[in-house]
Every structure is written in C-alpha cells, then in structure tokens.
Amino acid sequence: MRILFLTQVLPYPLDAGPKVRAYYVLRHLASRHSVTLVSFVRPTDTRAAVEHLRSFCHEVHTVTMTRSALRNGWFFAKSLATGQPFIIERDWTTGMARQVRQLVGADGRFDAIHADQLWMAPYALWAQQVANGASPSLTLDQHNAVFMIPQRMADNERHMLKRAALTLEARKLRDYEIETCRRFDRVIWVTREDYDALQDQTPTNSSVPNSGVIPICGDPEGVAPVIRTPGGRRVTFVGGLHYPPNAQGILWFAKQVFPQVLAQQPDTVLTVIGKQPPPELADLPIPPSNLEVTGYVDDPQPYLAETGAFVVPLLAGGGMRVKIVEGWTWGMPMVSTTVGAEGIRVRPGENLLVADTPEAFAEATVCLLRNQAMADQLAQHGRAWVLEHYNWRTTYRQWDAIYP
C-alpha cells in the first residue's frame, strides 16, 4: 500500500510525546508499506534527523513552519473573525498545501492518507479533494481529544481574560473536532478516555467515529534501564516546556509541592529538563543549590542516574503522557497526578504513586526519596509493565487492521 503520512512535527529525535507516537507508527508502517512522509520542520530540526527518517521512508519532504508572537496575534484575530480554532488557523500554510497538492497530483499515487494529529487533518482533506482521478482513504490519528487541553487550562487559570480566551478556544475546538472526525474514513484514538470525552460532547443520537484504540508506545526492548545511584537526591521532571500544560504543571509543583519536600529533605534538588523553561521558575524563592533548570539536553541519563523521584505533576492535557512510558522504560520510580496518568494502564502503589493535592504529592515524593526499597520496587514493576503493554514492536501490529 502507498501511504502519504502527514505530521506537524518532524518525528525525530524522540524528544517529545507527539514525536514518539508518530515515529514508531511510521517505523511500523514503513516496514510493510511504501510510506511518503511530509512534515513541518522548525529551525532546530537538523539535516541528520531528516536523513535518519529517509533511511526507512520511501520519500521525505519537509515544509518550514514559521512562528512568531506577531503571527500568532494575527491568527488569533483571524480565529475570532472566522470562528475557526486558533491552532487550525495558525497551522494552515500555503507551503504545506502546495507540497501536498504536488504529491497527490499524479494519478493514483497514494492509496491512503494518514493525518498525524488534528493539526494535519485539513491537509489530508485537501489532499483527497485535489487528488487527480483517485480517492485515497483517510485516517486520522487522534493523539488527544484536543478541546480538553484548553478547557482544563481554563479551569486552572485565574486571569479572567486568559480564562475566557481558553474557554472560547475549547468550545471552537470541540465543534471542529467533532465535524472533522466525521469526515475521515477511520479515526484511531490513543486512549478510550479521549474518545469518550469527545463523544460526550456530541448531540444526542449522533456519534464520533472510533476505529480502535492504539496507545502510544516506546521501544523498551531497545533501551536499557538507567542504573540509579543509591540515595539519589534529584526530583526530576522531563518534558518540553513550550507545551503549556507542562509549564503549568512544573510551576504548580515548584510553588506548592517542592517547598514541602525541601522542609523534610533539605538536600533535594529539583531538576527541570526540557526546552523553553518558563522564566518564572528562576524567580521562585528556591535556593540555587536546590534548583537546576537545564533546558533541553540530548541525553538526560546522567541526571536520571541521580534521580530519587521522577515527577509528572500535570493538571491539564489530553491523550497519554509519554513521560510515564519513558519513565518506566528508564526504570524510574514515579509520582504522578491523576491527570498525568490518564489514559495509561497503571497500578497505583505497584508501578507508580498517584497524588493530586500539594500535600499528598509532597508526601509521595519524600517517601520515594527516603524509602529506597519502595523506589526500586516501583521502578522494577514499571519496567516490566512497559515491556508488556507499551512496546511498539508488538502493540503496533494493531495498525495492520487499518492498513492491511
């Protein structure tokens, strides 16, 4: 089968959840089919990353994504005028539309078009419209019920105007998401919870397509667990902080949870790993010896080796938090909020700890720092769990029912 695979982020290196999802789906499909990848790229994406993808794809084409505060302001105003969601207005570009049209212009070149995330759905629909003499099937891979992300952020936002803007975006995304899913031949969901959340928003006696639930998976067979130093004092967060729910979550932890941890474990170091950390972190009254904000790092393993507790303090988001799959793969003892662990098959108290209030989260974190045996047991059980349930080499065979 000839598949056109559309992505909003270049799916390599594997430094963000959406990249992990797209990369391993792409790897699986390319092992069985002829896959042409078309992806947006940012200035930080490298030629080496593109060449790596070319090593197993039939073709790889890239289109530059330009972002700026001024452009975002224009697209926000346009969104208000058109009623379209801001993120959809922002990510529609003539360059990508032109590239897609050029590729589908040849008669019958593609049998199927795969849109990775809602952002790329407009391009898949456009491709089907302009396909010359062909009618490729359309598949949408729904990483999230996207409307839930701004809605949950609005629920935790104190600034009145920001809350109103987020609520409006959530409402527009909900309507757009329902309509768009119905225009695809198949819709795959990362979690059942996301499907149910969108289905609950549909009018009575109508439904959103559900062609199956296939979780985000990693490659635990190919990654050895980190050998942790006994008595590690780092409390570590890993995640792209350009993603608003990650920034919101780590600020909540740093402001409301970590001071309670420090009161009981004064030598603990909050270690925040991820690009574009919020400047507000540096202004918090945490002693410099107890806070390390690294920014993006190519290899987090030196920090992970000194980690006593790996934290996932999310208050908003949708889909699956890949950092939990990664944490299990690395062999990390973890504490997560309920939202952070949402959509993932977990066994609280067996393969991670779950806490939702600042007091409970601090207590769980301190427990891991003080109880080496418990931390080791959680890490071992988590590693076994990810090998069984979130291994792309086995779980992604489910995609063969979508692309036979």
Side-chain angles (χ1 to χ4, degrees):
M1 183 177 285
R2 297 161 298 178
I3 302 171
L4 180 63
F5 196 107
L6 307 174
T7 62
Q8 198 255 11
V9 292
L10 190 72
Y12 195 79
L14 306 182
D15 53 12
K19 293 186 177 189
V20 172
R21 170 63 164 194
Y23 179 80
Y24 288 119
V25 173
L26 191 62
R27 282 276 301 271
H28 179 78
L29 296 182
S31 71
R32 296 173 52 85
H33 305 286
S34 174
V35 180
T36 295
L37 171 65
V38 182
S39 179
F40 279 114
V41 291
R42 278 78 172 167
T44 53
D45 291 318
T46 66
R47 181 182 299 273
V50 175
E51 291 305 315
H52 172 76
L53 295 166
R54 286 197 171 113
S55 70
F56 57 87
C57 291
H58 177 65
E59 294 178 15
V60 176
H61 301 271
T62 62
V63 176
T64 300
M65 168 73 79
T66 303
R67 292 271 179 85
S68 69
L70 182 63
R71 288 173 62 86
N72 284 348
W74 160 250
F75 289 121
F76 180 73
K78 187 176 180 183
S79 170
L80 292 175
T82 64
Q84 287 278 78
F86 161 72
I87 62 171
I88 300 301
E89 290 284 7
R90 179 196 64 189
D91 287 355
W92 177 266
T93 74
T94 55
M96 177 61 77
R98 188 183 308 115
Q99 178 67 80
V100 169
R101 180 167 193 161
Q102 178 181 336
L103 287 169
V104 301
D107 290 349
R109 181 170 182 184
F110 296 105
D111 304 300
I113 300 172
H114 180 105
D116 181 70
Q117 301 195 81
L118 186 68
W119 288 257
M120 301 309 290
Y123 296 107
L125 294 166
W126 165 251
Q128 188 181 58
Q129 179 183 335
V130 300
N132 187 10
S135 183
S137 64
L138 300 184
T139 297
L140 174 61
D141 189 1
Q142 276 281 79
H143 293 209
N144 311 280
V146 183
F147 83 94
M148 291 174 61
I149 300 173
Q151 185 58 65
R152 283 175 165 172
M153 293 188 68
D155 293 342
N156 291 285
E157 179 57 62
R158 295 182 180 180
H159 191 285
M160 184 175 63
L161 290 179
K162 288 182 180 178
R163 184 169 64 250
L166 287 165
T167 300
L168 177 61
E169 178 72 357
R171 189 179 306 124
K172 290 191 290 186
L173 271 169
R174 176 200 62 197
D175 296 342
Y176 179 86
E177 211 162 353
I178 292 170
E179 177 190 358
T180 299
C181 285
R182 288 174 174 167
R183 297 177 67 184
F184 277 73
D185 299 301
R186 293 177 293 268
V187 180
I188 295 297
W189 299 83
V190 162
T191 76
R192 177 75 193 195
E193 288 87 343
D194 284 279
Y195 168 74
D196 289 341
L198 192 61
Q199 178 59 39
D200 288 346
Q201 299 295 315
T202 60
T204 306
N205 299 323
S206 63
S207 63
V208 173
N210 180 3
S211 304
V213 174
I214 305 177
I216 297 176
C217 292
D219 188 23
E221 289 183 25
V223 178
V226 175
I227 299 175
R228 293 185 299 112
T229 303
R233 310 320 296 165
R234 291 189 185 273
V235 173
T236 303
F237 173 89
V238 177
L241 293 156
H242 60 292
Y243 180 53
N246 281 347
Q248 179 193 58
I250 194 57
L251 285 171
W252 172 78
F253 181 86
K255 291 176 180 179
Q256 300 192 39
V257 180
F258 193 60
Q260 299 183 56
V261 175
L262 271 185
Q264 301 176 67
Q265 295 291 130
D267 59 344
T268 303
V269 179
L270 174 57
T271 306
V272 182
I273 301 172
K275 67 180 180 181
Q276 297 180 27
E280 191 176 351
L281 272 176
D283 299 329
L284 297 177
I286 299 174
S289 60
N290 296 110
L291 176 64
E292 185 169 0
V293 181
T294 69
Y296 175 78
V297 297
D298 289 325
D299 182 9
Q301 293 215 20
Y303 301 97
L304 298 175
E306 299 174 349
T307 293
F310 187 94
V311 295
V312 186
L314 268 67
L315 308 176
M320 281 177 59
R321 258 53 71 196
V322 177
K323 53 181 64 64
I324 287 185
V325 174
E326 291 177 330
W328 279 335
T329 299
W330 289 324
M332 291 289 107
M334 280 187 284
V335 186
S336 174
T337 57
T338 298
V339 170
E342 192 175 60
I344 302 177
R345 297 170 64 184
V346 300
R347 291 186 173 175
E350 183 176 329
N351 51 32
L352 84 171
L353 302 181
V354 176
D356 290 311
T357 66
E359 295 76 17
F361 209 111
E363 181 181 355
T365 303
V366 170
C367 183
L368 292 183
L369 292 170
R370 289 180 172 176
N371 191 332
Q372 185 75 45
M374 173 185 279
D376 290 345
Q377 186 175 56
L378 287 174
Q380 291 163 11
H381 287 169
R383 173 75 184 182
W385 191 255
V386 76
L387 280 163
E388 181 177 357
H389 297 289
Y390 296 101
N391 183 350
W392 80 274
R393 298 174 191 272
T394 53
T395 301
Y396 279 3
R397 294 170 188 164
Q398 295 177 57
W399 281 102
D400 297 343
I402 306 300
Y403 297 110

